[in-house]
Structure formats: structure tokens, C-alpha cells
Amino acid sequence: MSAPSRDHAWADSSPASRPTTRHDWSLEEIEALFALPFNDLLFRAQQVHRAHFDPNAVQVSTLLSIKTGACPEDCKYCPQSGHYNTGLGKEKLLEIEKVVEQARAAKAAGASRFCMGAAWRSPQEKDLRVVTEMVGQVKALGLETCMTLGMVDVDQAKRLAEAGLDYYNHNLDTSPEYYGEIITTRSYADRLDTLANVREAGMKVCSGGILGMGEAPRDRAALLQQLVRLDPHPESVPINMLVKVPGTPMENVEDMDPLEFIRAIAVARILMPKSHVRLSAGREQMDESTQALAFLAGANSIFYGDTLLTTGNPQVERDRALFDKLGLHPEPIASDTRDAHSDDEHTEIALAHAIQRQRDDALFYDATQG
């Protein structure tokens, strides 16, 4: 892949021309954005995007399941829930050495952030000691670190922050009104409390939702309203398309119109202008045109690799080819995260690196496909 252009015309907009960050969007205002003509909505989203980001840079993360299956929660979309028979076996917490090895491979392949997920309601003390050590060793590689471990209290969040964790992922999933149709073992307030604990500990927030779970359009607007009310906005906002896993109650839900999904990406970009909006789960089912529209609508982050926890993710070479077609390049690792040996990898790191080596080697050890 050739080196990306260094044209920074996108950054020339004056501060006065940049959209104001708001936390007081009404539900009616958000629904009005969803109702805009498609071209007008994407044009407005692209204007907001260019006021804050390089429009051709995409933040690249890799996600590893460090503990799979037997989660006590009853989330109706999740193959890792112990309530459903999805053919996914229970697996122990991965060894630290295996996690670090995968983090090295992810960095070599162009990832700037390494995310680790465990199927827990909340981490136990013995597990927290292990995952904090994982954070420290992955951080030492010069990668941003992110974890999703379920609910965390103030003390747990502070310990993760002290270990060097940059981001904590905890999705709201859907609107408060529709939430009870999806999950009964954890309340909406529980999720908001965890996000507050993460903020109090000084970590960055990664929080978004899942679309296509049978929710009404108003629920999508209400989900985004909840995210917008967080002050500050989540630094990372994953927008997931439901992956219908056999054995879960959601396996036969009607497919969501891809253009409605793109509308949600665009509205999220307008509402949270400084956040990275991540095109997340469900991307494997999207054709290139849909993904291209998502980037045009303001998505500027993806999960990259062969497996997304327990559901499929586009293979490495497909991502590389799509980036080539669209003229995209990976966003560089933040200067305060790179180690002394990573200067040459700055913006020039591309998805082409280590592709051939990964043809025959799985990027993940224990993330069983659903």
C-alpha cells in the first residue's frame, strides 16, 4: 500500500466554524436529523467530520476474547450468555503471555489499540489481578489499551486506570425504553453507573449500542440521546449491527435496512463531533458499498482482524483491499502511547504489514467463532 497523502486541508477550518459540542439534544431534534433527506444528512455529517478529523484516517483496533463463554447475563443477542445453547464452550482466562503475543501481532498488522474482552458480569479479585498485569504488558508495547469486563465499581476502575488502561468499553446497547426487552439481569442504571465509575477513575469511555434488534426508530434516537448526555461524550462510540447467532433469542429478527444503519452512523457523528465513531460488529455482513457509505457518514474506527470476540469480522486482506480502494489509511498511534521503537511506524503503518505472515496463522487463540 502506498503512503497516504499528507494533504491536511481538512484541518484548515477555524475553531469558530467547528460544530458546538452539545449535551442537551432533545429527542425531537435527533429524530429530525434521522428524517433528513439521505444526501443532506451525509453532507452535514461529513462537514462535521472534516472539522475534527482527517477524513481519510481510520483508527484501527484489534479485539481479543481473553475469556469466552458462560456469562451469567441474559443479553438476548449474545452467544456468550450461559442462558442459551449456541455451541460456544466455556473457556478459562487466557495466559498473559498469549495475550501479549497477540498484541504484538496486532501492532505489527497496523492496529493502534488492543482491546481485551472477558465474558463476566463483573471481574473477581483473582481475575482483576491478572487483567491489570495484562494491561501493563500490552501498554508497554506502545499500544493503546481497552478492556470490557462487565460492571466495575469505583475501586476496580481505579485499579485498572492505575495499571495503564486507556479505554473501558461498556455499551448501553439500546434505549432505556427498549432495554428490558433485551436484558433483564442488569439494569440500565447499572450500565450508567459503570460508565460514571470509569470517568471518575480518569479513563476514557468506549460506549455505544447495537442496532437491528427489533427496536423502533425512536429507540435508536433515544440511545444516541443517552450517549450525548454523557459529559464528556464517549471518546469512542461503537455502532454495532446485530449479528444473528443461532441459539440466541435474536436469531430470527428481521434484518435492518443498511441505509437506516448508515443514517445512525451519520447522526452519531453530528451529535458527537469529537468522538471516534466505530463501525463495529456486523461489518462482515456488509458489502464494500455499505462500508464506504459508513466512512462517508463519519465512521472513523474499525475492529480489524479475523475474529470479533465470538462473531466473525472481515479478514485482514479484505480490509487492506478496501482501504486501498477508498484511499484510507490507519490513524497513527497517539504520540504519548508509542514506545521508543515505534517512531518509524507512525502514520506509515498500513494494513499491508504482516498480512502475508497472517495468512496461515490465526490472530487469536481462544476466541471461538459463533
Side-chain angles (χ1 to χ4, degrees):
M1 183 185 294
S2 60
S5 169
R6 298 294 177 246
D7 179 8
H8 294 306
W10 57 269
D12 291 340
S13 59
S14 65
S17 69
R18 297 191 176 194
T20 301
T21 300
R22 292 177 51 191
H23 301 274
D24 61 347
W25 287 85
S26 70
L27 194 58
E28 291 71 25
E29 287 178 301
I30 298 173
E31 289 182 307
L33 290 176
F34 271 100
L36 285 172
F38 189 75
N39 287 346
D40 292 347
L41 176 60
L42 262 62
F43 180 69
R44 181 167 172 179
Q46 184 64 200
Q47 286 180 307
V48 172
H49 188 54
R50 287 173 178 266
H52 294 281
F53 294 99
D54 177 345
N56 298 310
V58 177
Q59 190 278 320
V60 177
S61 298
T62 292
L63 178 60
L64 174 67
S65 178
I66 60 174
K67 186 270 178 185
T68 303
C71 180
E73 307 284 11
D74 67 352
C75 309
K76 290 183 179 179
Y77 54 81
C78 186
Q80 301 208 60
S81 172
H83 294 258
Y84 317 123
N85 182 14
T86 63
L88 189 67
K90 178 181 180 180
E91 297 175 359
K92 295 180 179 179
L93 185 65
L94 286 185
E95 297 175 359
I96 295 174
E97 292 77 10
K98 288 185 176 181
V99 173
V100 174
E101 183 178 349
Q102 301 317 307
R104 288 195 186 98
K107 182 179 178 183
S112 61
R113 187 179 306 162
F114 192 71
C115 305
M116 295 157 274
W120 290 323
R121 175 177 172 82
S122 183
Q124 301 297 313
E125 175 59 31
K126 63 182 177 65
D127 299 317
L128 194 63
R129 290 196 297 269
V130 177
V131 298
T132 52
E133 179 63 24
M134 286 180 186
V135 169
Q137 293 200 31
V138 172
K139 183 82 170 179
L141 299 177
L143 286 163
E144 291 182 324
T145 54
C146 179
M147 279 192 163
T148 179
L149 311 172
M151 296 183 291
V152 292
D153 59 28
V154 173
D155 178 68
Q156 291 171 323
K158 288 181 177 178
R159 289 173 63 184
L160 289 167
E162 289 168 358
L165 190 63
D166 297 299
Y167 288 81
Y168 194 84
N169 167 256
H170 201 64
N171 289 335
L172 295 180
D173 286 351
T174 188
S175 70
E177 295 76 17
Y178 193 62
Y179 184 82
E181 299 295 321
I182 306 299
I183 304 154
T184 65
T185 53
R186 184 189 308 180
S187 72
Y188 214 82
D190 288 335
R191 292 182 180 268
L192 292 172
D193 286 345
T194 288
L195 295 180
N197 295 339
V198 168
R199 278 294 185 209
E200 183 175 336
M203 287 184 286
K204 296 176 181 177
V205 167
C206 175
S207 187
I210 305 172
L211 307 184
M213 297 192 294
E215 75 280 353
R218 190 175 183 87
D219 291 308
R220 296 166 200 157
L223 165 65
L224 294 179
Q225 184 186 42
Q226 289 295 315
L227 294 169
V228 165
R229 286 177 174 174
L230 298 175
D231 191 2
H233 294 157
E235 285 81 1
S236 183
V237 181
I239 304 296
N240 300 273
M241 174 81 84
L242 175 68
V243 178
K244 296 186 288 186
V245 179
T248 66
M250 294 265 155
E251 65 174 306
N252 295 315
V253 173
E254 184 178 352
D255 289 341
M256 183 180 182
D257 185 333
L259 292 183
E260 291 305 307
F261 182 83
I262 298 302
R263 283 184 178 276
I265 293 279
V267 174
R269 165 53 63 218
I270 293 168
L271 298 179
M272 293 169 280
K274 298 179 182 179
S275 302
H276 279 81
V277 177
R278 177 176 296 144
L279 181 59
S280 199
R283 194 162 64 89
E284 186 178 49
Q285 285 73 45
M286 299 177 192
D287 60 24
E288 290 187 342
S289 297
T290 301
Q291 293 187 61
L293 280 174
F295 293 128
L296 183 64
N300 63 337
S301 178
I302 61 167
F303 277 123
Y304 158 72
D306 297 324
T307 303
L308 182 63
L309 286 180
T310 58
T311 57
N313 199 35
Q315 294 186 357
V316 171
E317 291 192 19
R318 285 176 56 192
D319 288 340
R320 176 197 175 191
L322 181 60
F323 271 47
D324 277 336
K325 286 182 181 180
L326 301 179
L328 302 176
H329 59 268
E331 186 178 271
I333 299 173
S335 59
D336 60 348
T337 305
R338 299 197 313 274
D339 61 18
H341 301 288
S342 63
D343 289 342
D344 292 338
E345 301 172 29
H346 194 37
T347 308
E348 302 301 332
I349 289 180
L351 294 174
H353 293 185
I355 295 299
Q356 187 62 43
R357 185 169 66 251
Q358 292 188 16
R359 283 180 184 272
D360 303 314
D361 296 326
L363 182 59
F364 305 106
Y365 278 88
D366 288 277
T368 305
Q369 295 225 7

